[in-house]
Amino acid sequence: MATTVGFIGVGNMGNPMAGNVLKGGFPFTVFDKSPKAMENLVQAGARAGKSAQDVVDSSEVVLTCLPASPDVEALYLEPGGLIERARPNTILIDLSSVLPSTPRKLEPAAKKRGVHFLEAPVSGGTAGAKAATLAIMVGGDPQILDRARPVLKCIGPNIFSVGPVGAGNTVKAINNMMACVNSLAMMEGLTLGVKAGLDPMVIYEVVKASSGGSKALERIPTAIVPRKFEPGFKVFLMNKDLDTFNTIAKELHVPVSFSNVAQRYQQAALAAGLGDMDTSVVATLIEKLAAVEFPKKG
Ligand code: NAD
């Protein structure tokens, strides 16, 4: 019999991932506290769970994708939460990006009840989630990962077993710090170029073919030039990931600088009320600082 799978938290990232697991042919139950978020999945054949508890009651593997540590800890650890409710041998997998201390609390609590837990933060953005090309950074027991692999393969081919729980979210925080710093370097370079009279798309094409290129460049044609800042990846989530990186750095006494600069820009965007916009919106703050406006193209 096919493994029964549940998915809790189907926002910008969870929704396309859940859609790809559903396409994998598993009997599938979905729940989000916002009913609207799960409408398309129910239309595509998922059963609408009445609650998170309903999902865990009807699933052998449960995936969760929530904003941050407090949401995840509440869902898993509160009385009547996922860990208390799950039957022994259930596999709970958290795909959210959280503090490494969160999975380190969840795994032993699950183990006490004979329940398995893996952390599996992902990278690749909403485009990667739609295309099922995500990188998945799994922390936890590799034997449990092998059991969960057929489900995880539906969301991405690059499944990395990176160590014990906590290791997955550590490498995820490193990745996002580097992505954010690349992105800010691109935005500052672009701003200077525009002020110097260059066409932003010329900068894009040239740097893409040169040594300064990175995935961050793709924000130029997809977000910055058309001024499309709907998420995507919200500013407040990027701020949270930089917080995670800086927390780990403090704990390990690693002097870091770039993450602090990157976080300052996310803080400025939060202060400007842009927390629910895509993190590309930071480019508009850099524009203002330089008293320049990127030319808008269709
Ligand atoms: P989002 O805010 O779009 O979605 C979160 C969803 O969780 C919402 O639909 C919300 O209603 C639901 N939710 C929250 N608490 C819940 C609960 N207790 N029960 C049921 N549903 C609940 O956020 P997102 O962009 O999908 O990000 C989710 C996680 O994935 C975050 O940790 C984020 O850092 C990570 N992530 C996001 C991206 C991206 O590009 N958006 C990429 C990689 C990783």
Side-chain angles (χ1 to χ4, degrees):
M1 268 228 318
T3 307
T4 49
V5 180
F7 205 115
I8 302 169
V10 287
N12 286 320
M13 200 64 185
N15 192 294
M17 286 196 270
N20 284 326
V21 178
L22 180 63
K23 281 186 205 147
F26 300 99
F28 193 70
T29 309
V30 64
F31 177 71
D32 193 290
K33 67 181 183 184
S34 152
K36 207 169 161 33
M38 41 187 213
E39 264 171 17
N40 65 322
L41 297 163
V42 174
Q43 272 165 18
R47 183 177 81 82
K50 292 181 193 67
S51 61
Q53 286 73 14
D54 181 17
V55 173
V56 83
D57 286 350
S58 46
S59 311
E60 293 160 283
V61 176
V62 178
L63 304 162
T64 56
C65 188
L66 308 184
S69 280
D71 311 293
V72 172
E73 292 188 15
L75 182 72
Y76 278 74
L77 293 173
E78 277 181 359
L82 297 191
I83 289 178
E84 194 177 294
R85 187 85 175 208
R87 286 172 308 237
N89 223 17
T90 303
I91 303 178
L92 306 175
I93 306 176
D94 184 36
L95 305 163
S96 325
S97 311
V98 294
L99 287 163
S101 55
T102 295
R104 289 183 189 131
K105 285 179 206 162
L106 303 188
E107 189 196 49
K111 214 174 219 169
K112 266 193 203 154
R113 294 214 54 257
V115 172
H116 305 293
F117 173 80
L118 298 172
E119 63 169 347
V122 297
S123 181
T126 50
K130 281 180 198 137
T133 55
L134 295 171
I136 311 171
M137 310 162 202
V138 184
D141 184 343
Q143 287 182 346
I144 301 303
L145 168 59
D146 282 342
R147 280 176 51 195
R149 206 176 278 273
V151 176
L152 289 177
K153 265 171 83 172
C154 299
I155 62 175
N158 299 312
I159 304 176
F160 299 96
S161 179
V162 296
V165 283
N169 272 290
T170 302
V171 70
K172 170 65 186 170
I174 294 166
N175 175 77
N176 276 29
M177 181 282 289
M178 292 170 75
C180 191
V181 169
N182 280 341
S183 188
L184 287 163
M186 173 276 287
M187 290 171 190
E188 287 191 355
L190 189 71
T191 305
L192 181 136
V194 169
K195 193 134 195 189
L198 288 166
D199 180 334
M201 289 309 291
V202 168
I203 301 172
Y204 167 73
E205 295 295 347
V206 173
V207 179
K208 197 174 168 183
S210 307
S211 55
S214 74
K215 286 187 179 169
L217 274 183
E218 293 310 318
R219 293 179 186 277
I220 297 174
T222 60
I224 297 174
V225 167
R227 301 189 90 76
K228 277 171 69 179
F229 300 119
E230 305 81 35
F233 186 45
K234 294 171 192 162
V235 167
F236 90 86
L237 292 173
M238 180 58 96
N239 183 63
K240 167 214 47 161
D241 291 342
L242 293 165
D243 257 346
T244 299
F245 183 86
N246 286 329
T247 300
I248 302 169
K250 267 189 206 146
E251 281 169 5
L252 299 178
H253 308 299
V254 178
V256 292
S257 344
F258 294 110
S259 59
N260 293 311
V261 177
Q263 189 165 24
R264 230 174 277 156
Y265 279 110
Q266 310 308 309
Q267 290 284 326
L270 287 171
L274 303 172
D276 281 326
M277 305 291 278
D278 190 82
T279 183
S280 305
V281 79
V282 167
T284 63
L285 302 181
I286 298 176
E287 265 182 314
K288 280 197 190 113
L289 287 173
V292 66
E293 198 166 312
F294 302 139
K296 194 177 171 189
K297 291 239 172 86

